[in-house]
Amino acid sequence: VVTTYCPANNEPIASVRQGNLEDYEETVKKAKEAWKVWADIPAPKRGEIVRQIGDALRQKIKVLGSLVSLEMGKIFVEGVGEVQEYVDVCDYAVGLSRMIGGPILPSERPGHALIEQWNPVGLVGVITAFNFPVAVYGWNSAIAMICGNACLWKGAPTTSLVSVAVTKIIAKVLEDNKLPGAICSLVCGGADIGTAMAKDERMDLLSFTGSTKVGKQVALMVQERFGRSLLELGGNNAIIVFEDADLNLVIPSALFAAVGTAGQRCTTARRLFLHESIHDEVVTKLAKAYAQVRIGDPWDPDTLYGPLHTKEAVKMFLDAVEQAKQQGGSVVCGGKVINRPGNYVEPTIVTGLPHNAPIVHTETFAPILYVLKFKEEEEVFAWNNEVKQGLSSSIFTKDLGRIFRWLGPKGSDCGIVNVNIPTSGAEIGGAFGGEKHTGGGRESGSDSWKLYMRRST
């Protein structure tokens, strides 16, 4: 039995009984049986079930958003926004359920037909992280379901209540339609369950969201059995601001990208490259904006910035600030723990570090922004790309030629490339994911449905 705690005050909320390996075994068997029923249902009918799941989530959006605030610690509007993302992906998947197709190609042999047919992979394992306890499962499950797959979900142990609540909402829809709830199964558990999923040949696709370190272990275990994996790992994202940028856009964008979700998004801005001619002005304005951030209980609608998720995260934050100082950085604002109950730390800006300082190349899951100076476009594009991760990136400029160079082969090497908007937004219509140590996986929109299916020619 694990206790789940509220990050805003470290008080216990509830106890959750985790599954052991015997429970896992039983669940996989039930999910595999349920798949046989699900795979026979025509795709547009599966889409209708997913539509009903979206509607069921709509009805519970505020209460589920509150639960995300209470258990994960993100502010209420973000909690609701996250459930809304699942709802939106359901809508997207409904349309997709009538559009999945493969081409009929000209055969070189007379009297023959050449067809590409897409079929479900079978059972999709989904391991999600604490920071998006609803949306990431939604991206995977809605698309996986219309493709004809069953799902087995292992959420983060620290957000088990959210996992249970979401699964109950889905199970009711399935059972109201006389379908087995095991089509969307859940096992609450720790690393033992995650390892079992990675090694299990019955897991036809394993979608893993989490740290690069754990993702590497998962990838190796899945590869060892020639399984398929979809990896969404770390990000060390940069915003680059040129001398011609609109600073009225830059300041709120940098603030939101760096302190939103208390710096605990994979798309959080961690590096801010400023052209030397505007460096001091932007730092002054940004520090002033940081001073106005409303800090408080995440479920209070006026709060902009809530706690870190765990006590361990607070220690990690302090260690990173200390390392930044040792490596020559100056703390412009923040850098300390806030004296109140819960896991609150000050949103932090650090200047004066070189672009290749070890701490700048480390993804600390906390609200620390490293502000760095540059002179030339070519060098700063190279600096954007020199970190191991390649998730999200952003430039602020009015120069059209520069924008197209940024989007081109010698520009950003990230999976998400932004212009005049922050790093931390994503739209469900586009494939979400990143390159290099971010894992190369793609979820949600575009043609990412193909990852949840196998092709027969």
Side-chain angles (χ1 to χ4, degrees):
V1 173
V2 292
T3 304
T4 181
Y5 292 93
C6 173
N9 52 27
N10 282 320
E11 298 289 329
I13 310 169
S15 301
V16 178
R17 190 183 299 280
Q18 294 196 319
N20 58 24
L21 289 169
E22 289 77 45
D23 296 320
Y24 167 76
E25 189 58 37
E26 185 192 347
T27 308
V28 173
K29 282 180 180 153
K30 288 269 171 65
K32 281 285 193 189
E33 283 301 309
W35 176 75
K36 291 176 185 170
V37 177
W38 189 237
D40 280 340
I41 293 170
K45 294 264 174 27
R46 295 194 293 254
E48 165 55 21
I49 304 298
V50 172
R51 186 192 68 73
Q52 291 177 32
I53 291 170
D55 276 351
L57 289 161
R58 270 186 185 92
Q59 286 162 17
K60 301 253 185 354
I61 192 162
K62 286 198 168 155
V63 67
L64 200 49
S66 296
L67 182 59
V68 172
S69 284
L70 187 72
E71 191 179 33
M72 184 272 150
K74 64 171 63 173
I75 61 173
F76 176 66
V77 289
E78 284 190 29
V80 171
E82 194 183 331
V83 184
Q84 184 63 49
E85 233 173 275
Y86 193 168
V87 170
D88 292 343
V89 175
C90 286
D91 284 351
Y92 180 88
V94 177
L96 192 58
S97 70
R98 292 181 178 271
M99 293 171 67
I100 285 176
I104 299 174
L105 300 158
S107 172
E108 62 192 43
R109 291 171 287 188
H112 285 68
L114 184 59
I115 298 171
E116 280 190 359
Q117 163 87 22
W118 290 90
N119 285 305
V121 291
L123 180 57
V124 175
V126 185
I127 299 177
T128 60
F130 74 86
N131 61 335
F132 281 88
V134 177
V136 173
Y137 178 63
W139 291 353
N140 282 276
S141 65
I143 306 291
M145 284 178 79
I146 60 111
C147 289
N149 301 296
C151 297
L152 174 61
W153 182 20
K154 186 193 100 62
T158 52
T159 53
S160 295
L161 294 175
V162 173
S163 303
V164 170
V166 170
T167 300
K168 286 192 167 183
I169 291 168
I170 298 168
K172 184 172 187 324
V173 171
L174 289 164
E175 284 158 7
D176 285 351
N177 283 277
K178 310 276 188 289
L179 290 163
I183 290 165
C184 290
S185 294
L186 170 74
V187 178
C188 289
D192 56 338
I193 302 293
T195 302
M197 289 171 78
K199 291 183 170 176
D200 194 339
E201 298 213 336
R202 296 166 299 180
M203 234 23 81
D204 299 294
L205 168 69
L206 186 61
S207 173
F208 174 86
T209 301
S211 70
T212 297
K213 187 177 159 219
V214 179
K216 190 174 185 182
Q217 297 167 344
V218 168
L220 290 169
M221 285 187 270
V222 174
Q223 185 55 47
E224 199 167 31
R225 60 176 175 87
F226 288 110
R228 287 168 65 162
S229 60
L230 191 170
L231 303 171
E232 293 285 354
L233 312 175
N236 190 346
N237 315 296
I239 293 176
I240 302 169
V241 184
F242 286 90
E243 64 276 20
D244 65 341
D246 179 349
L247 296 191
N248 293 326
L249 286 178
V250 169
I251 304 303
S253 295
L255 176 92
F256 174 74
V259 311
T261 327
Q264 299 170 112
R265 290 174 174 232
C266 50
T267 53
T268 291
R270 308 198 180 280
R271 299 176 295 150
L272 177 62
F273 291 106
L274 300 175
H275 189 269
E276 58 184 11
S277 64
I278 55 163
H279 176 275
D280 295 358
E281 183 190 353
V282 173
V283 170
T284 304
K285 285 183 169 169
L286 200 55
K288 202 173 157 190
Y290 265 54
Q292 295 166 27
V293 169
R294 293 186 306 276
I295 299 168
D297 288 333
W299 51 83
D300 180 339
D302 287 335
T303 300
L304 187 74
Y305 174 93
L308 290 174
H309 185 54
T310 58
K311 289 177 181 170
E312 291 75 40
V314 175
K315 186 184 176 304
M316 206 168 60
F317 164 84
L318 289 171
D319 288 350
V321 171
E322 202 43 54
Q323 283 178 54
K325 286 180 189 167
Q326 284 167 8
Q327 290 168 27
S330 308
V331 176
V332 174
C333 64
K336 297 191 284 293
V337 173
I338 297 172
N339 184 17
R340 60 175 287 165
N343 309 316
Y344 286 86
V345 301
E346 294 174 345
T348 302
I349 299 173
V350 177
T351 57
L353 285 164
H355 65 94
N356 55 357
I359 191 66
V360 174
H361 280 229
T362 307
E363 182 196 22
T364 305
F365 230 55
I368 305 172
L369 183 66
Y370 304 109
V371 181
L372 313 148
K373 255 184 208 173
F374 76 93
K375 281 189 175 74
E376 304 292 334
E377 176 189 304
E378 201 173 325
E379 70 175 357
V380 79
F381 282 9
W383 295 349
N384 175 74
N385 296 351
E386 74 184 352
V387 295
K388 293 270 196 258
Q389 305 88 343
L391 180 53
S392 188
S393 55
S394 199
I395 63 165
F396 284 79
T397 183
K398 295 186 186 118
D399 181 331
L400 206 54
R402 181 181 285 141
I403 288 168
F404 279 97
R405 289 190 292 277
W406 172 243
L407 302 175
K410 292 179 180 172
S412 172
D413 66 355
C414 294
I416 299 169
V417 186
N418 299 291
V419 177
N420 293 329
I421 55 167
T423 53
S424 55
E427 291 199 28
I428 61 137
F432 177 90
E435 303 297 329
K436 303 187 300 192
H437 285 213
T438 302
R442 292 295 185 275
E443 289 171 340
S444 192
S446 185
D447 64 348
S448 58
W449 60 268
K450 291 178 177 176
L451 296 165
Y452 302 89
M453 302 194 88
R454 57 181 180 83
R455 183 184 347 209
S456 310
T457 304

